[in-house]
Amino acid sequence: MPAEDRRTEPEPTVRDAISAPDAEGRPRRVTRRFPLFTKDTARPEGGGRAAPGDAPAPARQWPMLVVLSAVAIGLLLTAVDVFRYGMLVVGAALLGAAVMRWVLPRVGMLAVRSRFTDIATYGVLGLAIVLLALMAQPNPLLQIPFLKDTLHFTLTK
């Protein structure tokens, strides 16, 4: 085929950091920053696996299974009328999820949003559940002195 009959495609304009071309000859992005114009949805951060692909299916998502198992145990304790300890286990499970999200590089489906957002969400919810379980009536294990005065001040006319 003569060279003048070949149609050449225009060179793509790339505004990101690029590396070697992919199999089809297009430039490949190596940065995690989004391009100026997105043409597809980003792969979720939690889409990866926590264990290698040759591991059995439950083992690949072990962080999520640990958290869900702990929450199930806490809810079971709550159902058998051990409310305070059950809720402490649920709160501890969420705090454990925050720690795993912070420490482990790959946590599978435990990663929902960005690392910071996941850590903040799991941590704040876990801490709130633990504190509320400690302050639950009757016989609270944690008493905050100004809380009763604040409640009376906000509810009185």
Side-chain angles (χ1 to χ4, degrees), residues 12-16 29 31 33-42:
T13 304
V14 179
R15 296 184 181 188
D16 299 322
R29 294 179 55 232
T31 178
R33 300 178 94 192
F34 287 108
L36 187 59
F37 299 103
T38 56
K39 297 176 183 164
D40 197 5
T41 56

Side-chain angles (χ1 to χ4, degrees), residues 23 65 89 100 136 150:
L65 289 175
V89 170
M100 280 194 282
T150 305

